[in-house]
Amino acid sequence: MDFRLDEEQQALRESVREFAREVVAPTIAEHYEQHTFPYEMVRQMGKMGLFGLPFAEEHGGMGGDYFALCLALEELARVDSSVAITLEAAVSLGAMPIYRFGTEEQKAQWLPKLLSGEALAAFGLTEPGTGSDAGGTRTRAVLDGDEWVINGSKAFITNSGTDITALVTVTAVTGTRPDGGKELSTIIVPSGTPGFTVAPGYSKVGWTASDTHELTFDDCRVPAANLLGERGRGFAQFLRILDEGRTAIAALAVGLAQGCVDESIKYAKERQAFGQPIGNYQAIQFKIADMEMKAHTARLAYYDAAARMLAGEPFKRQAAIAKLHASTVAVDNAREATQIHGGYGFMNEYPVARFWRDSKILEIGEGTSEVQRMIIARDLGM
Ligand SMILES: Cc1cc2nc3c(=O)[nH]c(=O)nc-3n(C[C@H](O)[C@H](O)[C@H](O)COP(=O)(O)OP(=O)(O)OC[C@H]3O[C@@H](n4cnc5c(N)ncnc54)[C@H](O)[C@@H]3O)c2cc1C
């Protein structure tokens, strides 16, 4: 068991760290304040190859693996989570379903632009009436000749309404299974298809420089060939995508937790109270020591989940543990980092205010903490 990074992994981590510090840190606060999407950063991340990290070179990828993506997400989130979630959703939820389940034609049509970051894809699973209970999907798709006719709506879909969004993969009920249950399938809906409407962006508590919309489908017609993978395999497909995604969200949460440590150390050394830096007080040192312990153990949890995934072993429980633990740790560290900053921690000009606002969604998105506990308990035979 060796969790040390090899030279290539260290080089990737260093280059993303430098990008986060030199490019993201100086300007992200303005995007966050104005709720604007950081197109220029996305363009630069595309040039760095980040959108192609876990994909084979034959499809325009970088030939890396899912762990490489996690390392990049951790380093980005150490500085900002809107940028990190934009990459996470684009790769893990957007391009990955096409890479894993698409036909050769679908891969050839979409992957080159998605893997270069020139275009983004979104993943439309959640609906206004159902999230955790994804089997409760109400969006329907009916085959009419050689077209699917889609009706329904999706809620909270990341990267679905940017100027460079190319498509959304939509889960829909396409029939009834022999056992009477819903037959769920996944269909590719290109942006701009008539009948596909993207609502204005939500007003969010955090991740305000990322792109999130409600989507509606009103007699929206796409070719029958836009079915992604086998008909009726929609449920199995998104379970696989979400197991991987949980590992990626855990990495993102570790980044935020570590960013809280970074900012707290810096501030504790500068801020004076009662004649000396607050970092001289053991009460502050112990807070920071606990924060570091939590970030470290959460990192080991996602390294473990990713290692099992790459070895082709079952990793569902480990991914749920990593996501549950890392998101809890992110919220804890954001709260403590804000406390260490005192009143300035409540001011948006300090990065910890962003960390605080961005941390809570980590306990909700890609499966709430309750859902992670359900997965772990089920895997333990309960
Ligand atoms: C900013 C943002 C971006 C998102 N991006 C995407 C995206 O790109 N694509 C996508 O498909 N979705 C996306 N989501 C949706 C996200 O995955 C869901 O919000 C999440 O899965 C929870 O679903 P819900 O909001 O419907 O909550 P609900 O499922 O309604 O849950 C409400 C509460 O009930 C609890 N609960 C539910 N069932 C049980 C149970 N059986 N036992 C105990 N407690 C239970 C939940 O844990 C939660 O606390 C995004 C959400 C946000 C906020």
Side-chain angles (χ1 to χ4, degrees):
M1 192 177 298
D2 185 355
F3 283 141
R4 281 173 301 183
L5 303 184
D6 64 26
E7 272 181 28
E8 213 175 310
Q9 292 163 335
Q10 284 181 37
L12 170 70
R13 192 174 61 173
E14 279 313 310
S15 71
V16 180
R17 185 173 292 178
E18 194 184 318
F19 171 77
R21 285 189 186 152
E22 305 290 319
V23 179
V24 179
T27 52
I28 193 61
E30 200 179 325
H31 285 291
Y32 202 81
E33 202 67 25
Q34 311 281 331
H35 296 205
T36 50
F37 188 75
Y39 286 102
E40 178 53 24
M41 290 178 202
V42 168
R43 196 188 62 77
Q44 291 190 44
M45 290 196 292
K47 279 187 84 176
M48 289 168 73
L50 301 189
F51 289 90
L53 274 176
F55 302 106
E57 288 171 17
E58 60 174 302
H59 294 294
M62 299 295 287
D65 56 31
Y66 209 88
F67 184 59
L69 171 68
C70 290
L71 288 176
L73 291 170
E74 182 186 334
E75 287 308 320
L76 287 173
R78 200 165 165 172
V79 170
D80 179 70
S81 290
S82 293
V83 176
I85 193 61
T86 299
L87 178 67
E88 194 275 341
V91 175
S92 164
L93 302 180
M96 193 58 88
I98 296 178
Y99 182 74
R100 280 215 188 289
F101 313 119
T103 60
E104 287 311 311
E105 290 74 23
Q106 289 167 343
K107 289 181 190 172
Q109 181 179 2
W110 299 112
L111 290 182
K113 342 181 203 196
L114 299 179
L115 274 44
S116 66
E118 191 191 316
L120 300 175
F123 178 71
L125 173 65
T126 307
E127 301 194 351
T130 190
S132 308
D133 178 16
T137 297
R138 288 200 201 128
T139 296
R140 301 197 76 84
V142 177
L143 204 49
D144 178 26
D146 58 359
E147 288 181 329
W148 289 103
V149 185
I150 308 170
N151 280 287
S153 50
K154 296 287 170 182
F156 314 131
I157 308 305
T158 305
N159 288 341
S160 60
T162 72
D163 296 348
I164 56 170
T165 300
L167 67 101
V168 54
T169 52
V170 176
T171 48
V173 181
T174 48
T176 308
R177 291 196 316 242
D179 66 1
K182 287 176 179 170
E183 177 194 86
L184 288 177
S185 307
T186 310
I187 298 171
I188 298 172
V189 182
S191 301
T193 304
F196 169 24
T197 311
V198 180
Y202 292 95
S203 168
K204 293 173 294 194
V205 171
W207 285 1
T208 62
S210 79
D211 180 79
T212 326
H213 301 265
E214 182 168 336
L215 312 177
T216 51
F217 303 90
D218 188 9
D219 282 337
C220 173
R221 288 176 174 267
V222 296
N226 282 22
L227 179 72
L228 187 61
E230 264 177 69
R231 180 170 176 168
R233 295 288 296 160
F235 205 79
Q237 289 171 349
F238 68 67
L239 288 184
R240 167 74 201 203
I241 291 299
L242 290 178
D243 281 342
E244 291 177 351
R246 281 174 187 129
T247 313
I249 293 289
L252 198 155
V254 169
L256 188 149
Q258 195 67 55
C260 290
V261 176
D262 299 342
E263 293 299 324
S264 297
I265 293 172
K266 207 177 353 165
Y267 190 78
K269 285 183 174 171
E270 284 166 9
R271 180 68 177 177
Q272 302 269 330
F274 301 97
Q276 51 183 314
I278 58 170
N280 286 0
Y281 299 117
Q282 207 174 42
I284 300 287
Q285 292 173 5
F286 280 13
K287 274 189 200 300
I288 294 175
D290 282 351
M291 289 160 66
E292 174 66 15
M293 169 193 68
K294 289 178 179 181
H296 178 71
T297 54
R299 181 178 298 108
L300 293 180
Y302 97 69
Y303 276 23
D304 176 42
R308 288 169 196 266
M309 183 200 305
L310 296 186
E313 295 169 10
F315 67 100
K316 185 182 273 294
R317 187 198 313 173
Q318 287 75 18
I321 289 172
K323 204 265 180 184
L324 175 61
H325 182 52
S327 59
T328 308
V329 159
V331 172
D332 287 352
N333 280 12
R335 190 182 56 246
E336 290 296 39
T338 302
Q339 191 67 20
I340 288 169
H341 282 66
Y344 289 108
F346 204 61
M347 298 298 127
N348 281 324
E349 69 193 90
Y350 280 80
V352 290
R354 238 184 316 120
F355 292 155
W356 194 44
R357 287 166 61 182
D358 289 342
S359 62
K360 183 60 202 169
I361 180 60
L362 297 167
E363 293 184 322
I364 297 170
E366 294 197 35
T368 63
S369 293
E370 290 76 18
V371 166
Q372 305 312 317
R373 289 187 170 92
M374 281 161 60
I375 293 169
I376 297 164
R378 238 179 246 157
D379 201 59
L380 291 170
M382 300 173 79

